[in-house]
Amino acid sequence: MTAPGVKTTGTRPVVRPAGAGRTTAALAVGAALLLATVLLGLAVGSQPEPVRTVIDVVARRLGLGDPRVTLLDDQIVWQLRLPRVLGAAATGAGLAVCGAVLQTLTGNDLADPFLLGISEGAAAGAVTVIVLGVGVTGAVGTGAVATAAFAGALLAAVVVLALAGARTRSLPTARTVLAGIAVGQLCGAYTSFVVLVLGDRNAARGVMEWTLGSVAGVRWPTAVFLTAVALVGVTVLASSARDLDAFAFGETAARSLGVHVERTRWVLVATAALVTACLVANTGVIGFLGLVVPHLVRLVCGPRHALLLPVSALVGASLLVGSDIVARSVLPDREIPVGVITAGLGAPFFAWLLWRQGRADGGLR
């Protein structure tokens, strides 16, 4: 039995190209969805802005005419909301594509961007700064937390890859997953110790808010950085779409199609780890996005990575921007961490995925 969009020639699996019309339609729908959520994200808030005003502000800033807008509208739309929306879109796109790549490379439907202990490593770095009070006031403090989170995430990923690739210099799937679990547990133990033993109530609250994820503090420098990371990461990962198609049938099939399995896996896993570390360091841990989005897109677009990855980027961006809109709109006087919204959306899907896997496994017995 072969996956949709796939045929076999002899003993070699070959991915059948999707029609140009289907590809164009999927990308167009994804782009339209993202544009709609971005406009909604710029319009919705404690101070609602008409869509016409939003368009006028952006057009004026981009030099596309000189529509009249008030200083307040400009500050709200351009200075406050647009960086936040761009940061959310970039983070959602990056996490979704990294999740799709890791699910293929590991052959595990439940894999996500935090498989390599990245979230726990980022939390360990952030907790070290938040609890121990190393430059935690003002903009310097925000930068210190992001830098420490990035260092912790990157260090965790490096340790996982070193453990998984010890001696053989390859990245066996089972060993990579186990190394990620081990490093994640170690980082989690360190985080718990620092918070419970060395921290106070305020520190514990700060740690909890960071680990639940938020894009509320994203301003233009961070938004530009996140957008650049997402664009470069998605481009690098999407350029290996054909190799990922081969990986979908296992290492043996990939080798028979001329893929250098070890080198390709190293490059793609390292890229996914680096992209995730950069995103998480600036937004906190936003769970379930990289798990849910690739599966949703596969259900509609099929398994071809040339279509799966760009559409996942568009849907992931839309989903996180939409989740952020909900996070800042549900309660009138405060915001809900966006990670709570994505978890609320993703947990039921996760349960359904487990149930479906259980039925499939039972049917094979």
PDB file of all heavy atoms in Angstrom, residues 25-62:
ATOM      1  N   ALA A  25      -3.345  26.320  -6.300  1.00  0.00           N
ATOM      2  CA  ALA A  25      -4.540  26.547  -5.488  1.00  0.00           C
ATOM      3  C   ALA A  25      -4.223  26.441  -4.001  1.00  0.00           C
ATOM      4  O   ALA A  25      -4.679  27.269  -3.200  1.00  0.00           O
ATOM      5  CB  ALA A  25      -5.621  25.542  -5.872  1.00  0.00           C
ATOM      6  N   ALA A  26      -3.434  25.429  -3.619  1.00  0.00           N
ATOM      7  CA  ALA A  26      -3.094  25.253  -2.203  1.00  0.00           C
ATOM      8  C   ALA A  26      -2.294  26.435  -1.678  1.00  0.00           C
ATOM      9  O   ALA A  26      -2.555  26.950  -0.582  1.00  0.00           O
ATOM     10  CB  ALA A  26      -2.309  23.956  -2.022  1.00  0.00           C
ATOM     11  N   LEU A  27      -1.315  26.881  -2.454  1.00  0.00           N
ATOM     12  CA  LEU A  27      -0.509  28.024  -2.034  1.00  0.00           C
ATOM     13  C   LEU A  27      -1.336  29.303  -1.992  1.00  0.00           C
ATOM     14  O   LEU A  27      -1.166  30.133  -1.088  1.00  0.00           O
ATOM     15  CB  LEU A  27       0.682  28.197  -2.980  1.00  0.00           C
ATOM     16  CG  LEU A  27       1.730  27.081  -2.937  1.00  0.00           C
ATOM     17  CD1 LEU A  27       2.787  27.292  -4.006  1.00  0.00           C
ATOM     18  CD2 LEU A  27       2.396  27.010  -1.555  1.00  0.00           C
ATOM     19  N   ALA A  28      -2.240  29.461  -2.952  1.00  0.00           N
ATOM     20  CA  ALA A  28      -3.084  30.661  -2.982  1.00  0.00           C
ATOM     21  C   ALA A  28      -4.019  30.703  -1.773  1.00  0.00           C
ATOM     22  O   ALA A  28      -4.196  31.765  -1.147  1.00  0.00           O
ATOM     23  CB  ALA A  28      -3.892  30.702  -4.276  1.00  0.00           C
ATOM     24  N   VAL A  29      -4.611  29.565  -1.443  1.00  0.00           N
ATOM     25  CA  VAL A  29      -5.502  29.520  -0.282  1.00  0.00           C
ATOM     26  C   VAL A  29      -4.714  29.799   1.001  1.00  0.00           C
ATOM     27  O   VAL A  29      -5.167  30.550   1.877  1.00  0.00           O
ATOM     28  CB  VAL A  29      -6.206  28.155  -0.196  1.00  0.00           C
ATOM     29  CG1 VAL A  29      -6.945  28.004   1.136  1.00  0.00           C
ATOM     30  CG2 VAL A  29      -7.184  27.987  -1.350  1.00  0.00           C
ATOM     31  N   GLY A  30      -3.519  29.200   1.116  1.00  0.00           N
ATOM     32  CA  GLY A  30      -2.693  29.441   2.298  1.00  0.00           C
ATOM     33  C   GLY A  30      -2.286  30.893   2.415  1.00  0.00           C
ATOM     34  O   GLY A  30      -2.317  31.475   3.520  1.00  0.00           O
ATOM     35  N   ALA A  31      -1.907  31.512   1.297  1.00  0.00           N
ATOM     36  CA  ALA A  31      -1.515  32.919   1.316  1.00  0.00           C
ATOM     37  C   ALA A  31      -2.699  33.821   1.665  1.00  0.00           C
ATOM     38  O   ALA A  31      -2.559  34.795   2.427  1.00  0.00           O
ATOM     39  CB  ALA A  31      -0.933  33.309  -0.040  1.00  0.00           C
ATOM     40  N   ALA A  32      -3.876  33.498   1.126  1.00  0.00           N
ATOM     41  CA  ALA A  32      -5.072  34.292   1.435  1.00  0.00           C
ATOM     42  C   ALA A  32      -5.438  34.177   2.909  1.00  0.00           C
ATOM     43  O   ALA A  32      -5.820  35.170   3.552  1.00  0.00           O
ATOM     44  CB  ALA A  32      -6.235  33.824   0.555  1.00  0.00           C
ATOM     45  N   LEU A  33      -5.321  32.972   3.452  1.00  0.00           N
ATOM     46  CA  LEU A  33      -5.601  32.765   4.874  1.00  0.00           C
ATOM     47  C   LEU A  33      -4.645  33.578   5.732  1.00  0.00           C
ATOM     48  O   LEU A  33      -5.055  34.226   6.715  1.00  0.00           O
ATOM     49  CB  LEU A  33      -5.489  31.277   5.207  1.00  0.00           C
ATOM     50  CG  LEU A  33      -5.698  30.887   6.673  1.00  0.00           C
ATOM     51  CD1 LEU A  33      -7.110  31.214   7.117  1.00  0.00           C
ATOM     52  CD2 LEU A  33      -5.410  29.391   6.875  1.00  0.00           C
ATOM     53  N   LEU A  34      -3.363  33.574   5.358  1.00  0.00           N
ATOM     54  CA  LEU A  34      -2.380  34.331   6.132  1.00  0.00           C
ATOM     55  C   LEU A  34      -2.650  35.832   6.042  1.00  0.00           C
ATOM     56  O   LEU A  34      -2.588  36.542   7.058  1.00  0.00           O
ATOM     57  CB  LEU A  34      -0.972  34.017   5.628  1.00  0.00           C
ATOM     58  CG  LEU A  34       0.169  34.784   6.307  1.00  0.00           C
ATOM     59  CD1 LEU A  34       0.162  34.556   7.811  1.00  0.00           C
ATOM     60  CD2 LEU A  34       1.511  34.383   5.717  1.00  0.00           C
ATOM     61  N   LEU A  35      -2.955  36.322   4.839  1.00  0.00           N
ATOM     62  CA  LEU A  35      -3.241  37.746   4.678  1.00  0.00           C
ATOM     63  C   LEU A  35      -4.450  38.160   5.515  1.00  0.00           C
ATOM     64  O   LEU A  35      -4.444  39.221   6.173  1.00  0.00           O
ATOM     65  CB  LEU A  35      -3.498  38.061   3.205  1.00  0.00           C
ATOM     66  CG  LEU A  35      -3.860  39.515   2.881  1.00  0.00           C
ATOM     67  CD1 LEU A  35      -2.745  40.461   3.284  1.00  0.00           C
ATOM     68  CD2 LEU A  35      -4.174  39.667   1.386  1.00  0.00           C
ATOM     69  N   ALA A  36      -5.480  37.327   5.533  1.00  0.00           N
ATOM     70  CA  ALA A  36      -6.686  37.644   6.307  1.00  0.00           C
ATOM     71  C   ALA A  36      -6.387  37.702   7.798  1.00  0.00           C
ATOM     72  O   ALA A  36      -6.838  38.621   8.506  1.00  0.00           O
ATOM     73  CB  ALA A  36      -7.778  36.610   6.013  1.00  0.00           C
ATOM     74  N   THR A  37      -5.626  36.722   8.302  1.00  0.00           N
ATOM     75  CA  THR A  37      -5.312  36.718   9.734  1.00  0.00           C
ATOM     76  C   THR A  37      -4.387  37.872  10.109  1.00  0.00           C
ATOM     77  O   THR A  37      -4.508  38.443  11.200  1.00  0.00           O
ATOM     78  CB  THR A  37      -4.672  35.382  10.149  1.00  0.00           C
ATOM     79  OG1 THR A  37      -3.543  35.103   9.311  1.00  0.00           O
ATOM     80  CG2 THR A  37      -5.665  34.244  10.052  1.00  0.00           C
ATOM     81  N   VAL A  38      -3.468  38.239   9.211  1.00  0.00           N
ATOM     82  CA  VAL A  38      -2.581  39.375   9.489  1.00  0.00           C
ATOM     83  C   VAL A  38      -3.389  40.669   9.589  1.00  0.00           C
ATOM     84  O   VAL A  38      -3.207  41.471  10.521  1.00  0.00           O
ATOM     85  CB  VAL A  38      -1.493  39.498   8.402  1.00  0.00           C
ATOM     86  CG1 VAL A  38      -0.783  40.849   8.478  1.00  0.00           C
ATOM     87  CG2 VAL A  38      -0.467  38.382   8.563  1.00  0.00           C
ATOM     88  N   LEU A  39      -4.297  40.889   8.636  1.00  0.00           N
ATOM     89  CA  LEU A  39      -5.142  42.086   8.687  1.00  0.00           C
ATOM     90  C   LEU A  39      -5.997  42.098   9.951  1.00  0.00           C
ATOM     91  O   LEU A  39      -6.162  43.145  10.596  1.00  0.00           O
ATOM     92  CB  LEU A  39      -6.034  42.155   7.448  1.00  0.00           C
ATOM     93  CG  LEU A  39      -5.335  42.525   6.136  1.00  0.00           C
ATOM     94  CD1 LEU A  39      -6.320  42.446   4.974  1.00  0.00           C
ATOM     95  CD2 LEU A  39      -4.723  43.912   6.218  1.00  0.00           C
ATOM     96  N   LEU A  40      -6.530  40.929  10.308  1.00  0.00           N
ATOM     97  CA  LEU A  40      -7.335  40.840  11.527  1.00  0.00           C
ATOM     98  C   LEU A  40      -6.482  41.110  12.755  1.00  0.00           C
ATOM     99  O   LEU A  40      -6.913  41.801  13.693  1.00  0.00           O
ATOM    100  CB  LEU A  40      -7.979  39.454  11.617  1.00  0.00           C
ATOM    101  CG  LEU A  40      -9.008  39.240  12.737  1.00  0.00           C
ATOM    102  CD1 LEU A  40     -10.179  40.197  12.565  1.00  0.00           C
ATOM    103  CD2 LEU A  40      -9.483  37.791  12.756  1.00  0.00           C
ATOM    104  N   GLY A  41      -5.246  40.578  12.746  1.00  0.00           N
ATOM    105  CA  GLY A  41      -4.353  40.803  13.871  1.00  0.00           C
ATOM    106  C   GLY A  41      -3.987  42.264  14.035  1.00  0.00           C
ATOM    107  O   GLY A  41      -3.773  42.739  15.167  1.00  0.00           O
ATOM    108  N   LEU A  42      -3.900  43.013  12.942  1.00  0.00           N
ATOM    109  CA  LEU A  42      -3.593  44.436  13.015  1.00  0.00           C
ATOM    110  C   LEU A  42      -4.812  45.260  13.418  1.00  0.00           C
ATOM    111  O   LEU A  42      -4.666  46.364  13.957  1.00  0.00           O
ATOM    112  CB  LEU A  42      -3.080  44.928  11.658  1.00  0.00           C
ATOM    113  CG  LEU A  42      -1.744  44.345  11.193  1.00  0.00           C
ATOM    114  CD1 LEU A  42      -1.397  44.856   9.804  1.00  0.00           C
ATOM    115  CD2 LEU A  42      -0.626  44.689  12.174  1.00  0.00           C
ATOM    116  N   ALA A  43      -5.994  44.726  13.170  1.00  0.00           N
ATOM    117  CA  ALA A  43      -7.214  45.479  13.461  1.00  0.00           C
ATOM    118  C   ALA A  43      -7.755  45.238  14.862  1.00  0.00           C
ATOM    119  O   ALA A  43      -8.339  46.145  15.478  1.00  0.00           O
ATOM    120  CB  ALA A  43      -8.294  45.132  12.434  1.00  0.00           C
ATOM    121  N   VAL A  44      -7.555  44.035  15.384  1.00  0.00           N
ATOM    122  CA  VAL A  44      -8.174  43.645  16.655  1.00  0.00           C
ATOM    123  C   VAL A  44      -7.255  43.979  17.814  1.00  0.00           C
ATOM    124  O   VAL A  44      -6.038  43.794  17.750  1.00  0.00           O
ATOM    125  CB  VAL A  44      -8.502  42.138  16.649  1.00  0.00           C
ATOM    126  CG1 VAL A  44      -8.961  41.679  18.021  1.00  0.00           C
ATOM    127  CG2 VAL A  44      -9.555  41.837  15.596  1.00  0.00           C
ATOM    128  N   GLY A  45      -7.851  44.476  18.896  1.00  0.00           N
ATOM    129  CA  GLY A  45      -7.092  44.772  20.100  1.00  0.00           C
ATOM    130  C   GLY A  45      -7.919  45.606  21.048  1.00  0.00           C
ATOM    131  O   GLY A  45      -9.118  45.820  20.841  1.00  0.00           O
ATOM    132  N   SER A  46      -7.276  46.077  22.118  1.00  0.00           N
ATOM    133  CA  SER A  46      -7.995  46.911  23.087  1.00  0.00           C
ATOM    134  C   SER A  46      -8.495  48.198  22.442  1.00  0.00           C
ATOM    135  O   SER A  46      -9.494  48.773  22.867  1.00  0.00           O
ATOM    136  CB  SER A  46      -7.080  47.238  24.273  1.00  0.00           C
ATOM    137  OG  SER A  46      -5.900  47.885  23.824  1.00  0.00           O
ATOM    138  N   GLN A  47      -7.777  48.647  21.398  1.00  0.00           N
ATOM    139  CA  GLN A  47      -8.205  49.798  20.603  1.00  0.00           C
ATOM    140  C   GLN A  47      -8.465  49.306  19.175  1.00  0.00           C
ATOM    141  O   GLN A  47      -7.549  49.237  18.361  1.00  0.00           O
ATOM    142  CB  GLN A  47      -7.131  50.886  20.603  1.00  0.00           C
ATOM    143  CG  GLN A  47      -7.406  52.071  19.703  1.00  0.00           C
ATOM    144  CD  GLN A  47      -8.583  52.899  20.169  1.00  0.00           C
ATOM    145  OE1 GLN A  47      -8.760  53.096  21.366  1.00  0.00           O
ATOM    146  NE2 GLN A  47      -9.404  53.371  19.247  1.00  0.00           N
ATOM    147  N   PRO A  48      -9.695  48.928  18.842  1.00  0.00           N
ATOM    148  CA  PRO A  48      -9.967  48.399  17.493  1.00  0.00           C
ATOM    149  C   PRO A  48      -9.633  49.412  16.410  1.00  0.00           C
ATOM    150  O   PRO A  48      -9.835  50.624  16.588  1.00  0.00           O
ATOM    151  CB  PRO A  48     -11.473  48.099  17.535  1.00  0.00           C
ATOM    152  CG  PRO A  48     -11.820  48.019  18.989  1.00  0.00           C
ATOM    153  CD  PRO A  48     -10.903  48.970  19.679  1.00  0.00           C
ATOM    154  N   GLU A  49      -9.114  48.907  15.304  1.00  0.00           N
ATOM    155  CA  GLU A  49      -8.779  49.752  14.169  1.00  0.00           C
ATOM    156  C   GLU A  49      -9.506  49.219  12.931  1.00  0.00           C
ATOM    157  O   GLU A  49      -9.438  48.030  12.643  1.00  0.00           O
ATOM    158  CB  GLU A  49      -7.272  49.742  13.905  1.00  0.00           C
ATOM    159  CG  GLU A  49      -6.427  50.341  15.011  1.00  0.00           C
ATOM    160  CD  GLU A  49      -6.477  51.859  15.011  1.00  0.00           C
ATOM    161  OE1 GLU A  49      -6.990  52.443  14.033  1.00  0.00           O
ATOM    162  OE2 GLU A  49      -6.013  52.467  16.001  1.00  0.00           O
ATOM    163  N   PRO A  50     -10.197  50.088  12.185  1.00  0.00           N
ATOM    164  CA  PRO A  50     -10.830  49.634  10.941  1.00  0.00           C
ATOM    165  C   PRO A  50      -9.781  49.100   9.962  1.00  0.00           C
ATOM    166  O   PRO A  50      -8.646  49.594   9.931  1.00  0.00           O
ATOM    167  CB  PRO A  50     -11.498  50.909  10.401  1.00  0.00           C
ATOM    168  CG  PRO A  50     -11.626  51.818  11.574  1.00  0.00           C
ATOM    169  CD  PRO A  50     -10.465  51.506  12.464  1.00  0.00           C
ATOM    170  N   VAL A  51     -10.166  48.120   9.185  1.00  0.00           N
ATOM    171  CA  VAL A  51      -9.238  47.542   8.215  1.00  0.00           C
ATOM    172  C   VAL A  51      -8.745  48.600   7.238  1.00  0.00           C
ATOM    173  O   VAL A  51      -7.574  48.604   6.835  1.00  0.00           O
ATOM    174  CB  VAL A  51      -9.914  46.375   7.455  1.00  0.00           C
ATOM    175  CG1 VAL A  51      -9.006  45.860   6.340  1.00  0.00           C
ATOM    176  CG2 VAL A  51     -10.257  45.244   8.418  1.00  0.00           C
ATOM    177  N   ARG A  52      -9.600  49.527   6.866  1.00  0.00           N
ATOM    178  CA  ARG A  52      -9.198  50.604   5.960  1.00  0.00           C
ATOM    179  C   ARG A  52      -8.073  51.432   6.569  1.00  0.00           C
ATOM    180  O   ARG A  52      -7.115  51.811   5.885  1.00  0.00           O
ATOM    181  CB  ARG A  52     -10.410  51.492   5.680  1.00  0.00           C
ATOM    182  CG  ARG A  52     -10.156  52.639   4.744  1.00  0.00           C
ATOM    183  CD  ARG A  52      -9.941  52.159   3.337  1.00  0.00           C
ATOM    184  NE  ARG A  52      -8.619  52.498   2.850  1.00  0.00           N
ATOM    185  CZ  ARG A  52      -8.171  52.213   1.659  1.00  0.00           C
ATOM    186  NH1 ARG A  52      -8.931  51.524   0.821  1.00  0.00           N
ATOM    187  NH2 ARG A  52      -6.981  52.572   1.271  1.00  0.00           N
ATOM    188  N   THR A  53      -8.176  51.705   7.873  1.00  0.00           N
ATOM    189  CA  THR A  53      -7.126  52.466   8.562  1.00  0.00           C
ATOM    190  C   THR A  53      -5.836  51.673   8.603  1.00  0.00           C
ATOM    191  O   THR A  53      -4.743  52.230   8.421  1.00  0.00           O
ATOM    192  CB  THR A  53      -7.590  52.821   9.979  1.00  0.00           C
ATOM    193  OG1 THR A  53      -8.782  53.601   9.928  1.00  0.00           O
ATOM    194  CG2 THR A  53      -6.508  53.601  10.723  1.00  0.00           C
ATOM    195  N   VAL A  54      -5.952  50.376   8.857  1.00  0.00           N
ATOM    196  CA  VAL A  54      -4.770  49.515   8.879  1.00  0.00           C
ATOM    197  C   VAL A  54      -4.049  49.570   7.541  1.00  0.00           C
ATOM    198  O   VAL A  54      -2.820  49.746   7.471  1.00  0.00           O
ATOM    199  CB  VAL A  54      -5.179  48.060   9.216  1.00  0.00           C
ATOM    200  CG1 VAL A  54      -4.015  47.107   8.951  1.00  0.00           C
ATOM    201  CG2 VAL A  54      -5.635  47.965  10.666  1.00  0.00           C
ATOM    202  N   ILE A  55      -4.809  49.449   6.453  1.00  0.00           N
ATOM    203  CA  ILE A  55      -4.210  49.488   5.116  1.00  0.00           C
ATOM    204  C   ILE A  55      -3.570  50.849   4.847  1.00  0.00           C
ATOM    205  O   ILE A  55      -2.482  50.942   4.277  1.00  0.00           O
ATOM    206  CB  ILE A  55      -5.280  49.152   4.059  1.00  0.00           C
ATOM    207  CG1 ILE A  55      -5.765  47.711   4.243  1.00  0.00           C
ATOM    208  CG2 ILE A  55      -4.720  49.350   2.646  1.00  0.00           C
ATOM    209  CD1 ILE A  55      -6.916  47.322   3.344  1.00  0.00           C
ATOM    210  N   ASP A  56      -4.237  51.925   5.284  1.00  0.00           N
ATOM    211  CA  ASP A  56      -3.698  53.267   5.071  1.00  0.00           C
ATOM    212  C   ASP A  56      -2.382  53.461   5.812  1.00  0.00           C
ATOM    213  O   ASP A  56      -1.428  54.050   5.277  1.00  0.00           O
ATOM    214  CB  ASP A  56      -4.711  54.321   5.531  1.00  0.00           C
ATOM    215  CG  ASP A  56      -5.887  54.463   4.572  1.00  0.00           C
ATOM    216  OD1 ASP A  56      -5.777  53.969   3.432  1.00  0.00           O
ATOM    217  OD2 ASP A  56      -6.918  55.036   4.981  1.00  0.00           O
ATOM    218  N   VAL A  57      -2.310  52.977   7.044  1.00  0.00           N
ATOM    219  CA  VAL A  57      -1.080  53.124   7.831  1.00  0.00           C
ATOM    220  C   VAL A  57       0.073  52.383   7.168  1.00  0.00           C
ATOM    221  O   VAL A  57       1.179  52.920   7.003  1.00  0.00           O
ATOM    222  CB  VAL A  57      -1.294  52.609   9.269  1.00  0.00           C
ATOM    223  CG1 VAL A  57       0.053  52.499  10.005  1.00  0.00           C
ATOM    224  CG2 VAL A  57      -2.235  53.518  10.033  1.00  0.00           C
ATOM    225  N   VAL A  58      -0.168  51.133   6.777  1.00  0.00           N
ATOM    226  CA  VAL A  58       0.889  50.335   6.150  1.00  0.00           C
ATOM    227  C   VAL A  58       1.298  50.952   4.817  1.00  0.00           C
ATOM    228  O   VAL A  58       2.494  51.051   4.503  1.00  0.00           O
ATOM    229  CB  VAL A  58       0.417  48.879   5.964  1.00  0.00           C
ATOM    230  CG1 VAL A  58       1.461  48.078   5.199  1.00  0.00           C
ATOM    231  CG2 VAL A  58       0.148  48.240   7.326  1.00  0.00           C
ATOM    232  N   ALA A  59       0.323  51.389   4.026  1.00  0.00           N
ATOM    233  CA  ALA A  59       0.632  51.992   2.730  1.00  0.00           C
ATOM    234  C   ALA A  59       1.464  53.261   2.904  1.00  0.00           C
ATOM    235  O   ALA A  59       2.429  53.499   2.157  1.00  0.00           O
ATOM    236  CB  ALA A  59      -0.667  52.303   1.980  1.00  0.00           C
ATOM    237  N   ARG A  60       1.108  54.070   3.881  1.00  0.00           N
ATOM    238  CA  ARG A  60       1.857  55.312   4.116  1.00  0.00           C
ATOM    239  C   ARG A  60       3.291  55.000   4.533  1.00  0.00           C
ATOM    240  O   ARG A  60       4.242  55.645   4.066  1.00  0.00           O
ATOM    241  CB  ARG A  60       1.148  56.134   5.191  1.00  0.00           C
ATOM    242  CG  ARG A  60       1.790  57.490   5.479  1.00  0.00           C
ATOM    243  CD  ARG A  60       0.946  58.279   6.464  1.00  0.00           C
ATOM    244  NE  ARG A  60       1.534  59.589   6.707  1.00  0.00           N
ATOM    245  CZ  ARG A  60       2.487  59.822   7.604  1.00  0.00           C
ATOM    246  NH1 ARG A  60       2.958  58.819   8.337  1.00  0.00           N
ATOM    247  NH2 ARG A  60       2.967  61.037   7.784  1.00  0.00           N
ATOM    248  N   ARG A  61       3.467  54.032   5.398  1.00  0.00           N
ATOM    249  CA  ARG A  61       4.808  53.666   5.866  1.00  0.00           C
ATOM    250  C   ARG A  61       5.647  53.073   4.738  1.00  0.00           C
ATOM    251  O   ARG A  61       6.872  53.227   4.733  1.00  0.00           O
ATOM    252  CB  ARG A  61       4.698  52.654   7.007  1.00  0.00           C
ATOM    253  CG  ARG A  61       4.316  53.280   8.338  1.00  0.00           C
ATOM    254  CD  ARG A  61       5.501  53.992   8.943  1.00  0.00           C
ATOM    255  NE  ARG A  61       5.244  54.444  10.302  1.00  0.00           N
ATOM    256  CZ  ARG A  61       6.203  54.852  11.141  1.00  0.00           C
ATOM    257  NH1 ARG A  61       7.472  54.854  10.744  1.00  0.00           N
ATOM    258  NH2 ARG A  61       5.904  55.249  12.350  1.00  0.00           N
ATOM    259  N   LEU A  62       5.009  52.404   3.785  1.00  0.00           N
ATOM    260  CA  LEU A  62       5.738  51.799   2.673  1.00  0.00           C
ATOM    261  C   LEU A  62       5.908  52.756   1.497  1.00  0.00           C
ATOM    262  O   LEU A  62       6.446  52.373   0.454  1.00  0.00           O
ATOM    263  CB  LEU A  62       5.011  50.529   2.205  1.00  0.00           C
ATOM    264  CG  LEU A  62       4.945  49.381   3.222  1.00  0.00           C
ATOM    265  CD1 LEU A  62       4.183  48.206   2.634  1.00  0.00           C
ATOM    266  CD2 LEU A  62       6.344  48.949   3.656  1.00  0.00           C
TER     267      LEU A  62
END
